[in-house]
Amino acid sequence: MANHKSSVKRIRQDKKRALHNKYYAKTMRNAVRKLRAMTDKEEAMAMYPKVQKMLDKLAKTNIIHKNKAANLKSGLTKQIAKLG
């Protein structure tokens, strides 16, 4: 157990932030999954900017790594390009 008031507070804050980050990371994963499952190119192209914005925001706030965001965006772009 923590010995200082500041470390107790830090533990409290970390739990709260971890829960917050987990929510946004899960939301992002679901959006990426949904986009990958799409078969209509027009629909996918309409949704892609929203997902891209979400990935950029999460990378900016260090919820996901910037390279992970870049890799996901690249893969999604390739997938959308394949759709006919």
Side-chain angles (χ1 to χ4, degrees):
M1 185 61 201
N3 292 321
H4 297 283
K5 281 174 75 175
S6 62
S7 56
V8 171
K9 181 178 178 181
R10 176 63 59 199
I11 291 167
R12 247 189 356 253
Q13 287 175 332
D14 287 344
K15 282 182 187 174
K16 189 175 179 182
R17 287 194 181 119
L19 188 64
H20 177 265
N21 291 347
K22 194 186 339 181
Y23 167 77
Y24 282 104
K26 184 68 173 176
T27 304
M28 177 268 305
R29 282 196 304 273
N30 286 337
V32 168
R33 230 178 258 134
K34 188 175 177 184
L35 185 58
R36 282 202 176 120
M38 287 185 178
T39 54
D40 182 34
K41 188 170 187 168
E42 296 299 318
E43 206 177 314
M45 286 181 74
M47 186 179 173
Y48 179 70
K50 294 174 190 158
V51 174
Q52 183 180 10
K53 185 178 179 182
M54 187 187 301
L55 289 168
D56 288 337
K57 277 186 176 181
L58 293 178
K60 187 173 104 178
T61 55
N62 290 322
I63 294 172
I64 60 171
H65 196 274
K66 65 178 183 169
N67 290 350
K68 180 179 179 70
N71 287 335
L72 284 170
K73 288 191 297 186
S74 173
L76 289 170
T77 306
K78 287 178 185 173
Q79 179 133 9
I80 291 170
K82 280 184 189 175
L83 294 175

